[in-house]
Amino acid sequence: MRVFAYIDGYNVYHSLARFEHNHLKWLDLWSLCDRFVPNNSANLEAVHYFSAYADWLPKSKRRHEAYVAALEATGVTAHMANFKIKSRKCPSCGHKYKGHEEKETDVKIALYLLEHARQNLFDRAMIFSRDSDLVPAAKMLKEVYPEKQITIVAPPHLGHSNEMLQICDLKAKVQRKHVEQCLLPATLIGKDGIEISRPTEYDPPDN
C-alpha cells in the first residue's frame, strides 16, 4: 500500500502552540506521518506540507523558512501559499484595521490530492487537518476513485470534522507523545548542502 500524507501547516502549527512549549514546534513531519502508516505492508512514499510565510513578521518568517528547509531536508515537499490583507472591523467599537488571512492552502491541498489520485500515485491518503473545507475534495476523491482510502488525522487538542469522518475510511489523532518522539535534530544538512540550525526559540528546555 502506497501512502501519501497531506499536512495543513497552520492547522497543525496552531494546535502545537497550545502546548506552550516552543520546542515541540520543531516537528519532524515525515517521522510523525510514518507513525500513522496503517501496517507493515504499507509504505509512506510522500509527505506534502502546505503553508504560507507571514511576510509582515520578519522574525517569524525566518523561523518558518528554517523549518521548511529542515522539512525539505527530510524529504517533505513544501507548497507555500500566500496571506492576503483583509479589512476588518471590531464588532464592539467599530474600529477598522487591516488583518491578514491565509489564502490558497485548502485549494492547493484539494488540487494535489485529486491530481495525485488521478496519476494513481497512492492507495491511501492521510490528511492532517481539522478543517472541514476539505470535505468537497474528499467527497470527490471517494466518488471518482472509490478504491482510494482516506485517513483523517486530527492535530493535537483538536477533534475531527464530523463531515470528514462520514467520508473517510479511518481516523487517528496526534497525541503529545507522538510529537515528543518526532522532533527534528538541532542541525540538518539542507538540499543545497548548507547546514540548517534549529532556531534558538525552538531549543528544548534544559530539564
Side-chain angles (χ1 to χ4, degrees):
M1 176 179 284
R2 302 161 300 163
V3 180
F4 270 38
Y6 300 84
I7 312 290
D8 184 336
Y10 272 108
N11 210 257
V12 172
Y13 173 82
H14 288 300
S15 70
L16 293 174
R18 293 176 63 179
F19 284 128
E20 299 183 350
H21 292 283
N22 283 338
H23 71 286
L24 298 179
K25 298 175 184 176
W26 194 240
L27 178 60
D28 184 339
L29 291 180
W30 190 285
S31 178
L32 178 71
C33 293
D34 201 37
R35 290 178 179 269
F36 291 94
V37 171
N39 53 55
N40 293 331
S41 64
N43 184 54
L44 180 64
E45 298 198 353
V47 176
H48 292 269
Y49 169 80
F50 299 82
S51 190
Y53 294 126
D55 293 318
W56 70 99
L57 299 172
K59 290 183 179 180
S60 176
K61 182 182 179 184
R62 285 195 293 271
R63 287 196 301 271
H64 199 173
E65 288 173 336
Y67 182 56
V68 170
L71 291 179
E72 291 178 331
T74 68
V76 173
T77 301
H79 308 272
M80 307 308 290
N82 301 289
F83 279 93
K84 301 292 186 182
I85 297 176
K86 301 285 288 185
S87 296
R88 302 187 186 279
K89 182 178 180 180
C90 175
S92 300
C93 67
H95 173 69
K96 295 181 180 180
Y97 63 98
K98 298 293 184 181
H100 297 83
E101 184 175 306
E102 186 185 6
K103 290 291 187 181
E104 302 177 5
T105 295
D106 293 338
V107 174
K108 283 192 173 186
I109 295 175
L111 290 174
Y112 277 94
L113 177 69
L114 293 170
E115 176 60 16
H116 292 160
R118 186 192 69 80
Q119 295 181 40
N120 190 29
L121 297 180
F122 66 79
D123 303 300
R124 178 186 296 276
M126 293 195 303
I127 302 175
F128 288 70
S129 180
R130 172 65 175 80
D131 200 335
S132 60
D133 287 346
L134 295 172
V135 166
K139 282 184 176 179
M140 180 169 288
L141 177 68
K142 296 300 288 184
E143 290 171 3
V144 180
Y145 308 102
E147 74 282 4
K148 304 294 185 189
Q149 299 179 6
I150 304 175
T151 299
I152 185 68
V153 186
H157 303 289
L158 302 179
H160 295 85
S161 161
N162 289 329
E163 293 174 277
M164 286 292 282
L165 286 177
Q166 296 175 25
I167 302 166
C168 297
D169 302 277
L170 292 173
K171 67 175 181 178
K173 183 171 179 59
V174 178
Q175 306 286 347
R176 178 170 180 144
K177 64 180 180 180
H178 300 134
V179 177
E180 291 175 336
Q181 295 165 1
C182 297
L183 297 179
L184 290 160
T187 60
L188 303 91
I189 302 301
K191 295 191 301 181
D192 54 6
I194 298 175
E195 184 176 272
I196 304 160
S197 296
R198 179 179 61 209
T200 56
E201 294 91 341
Y202 293 164
D203 286 345
D206 293 332
N207 52 7

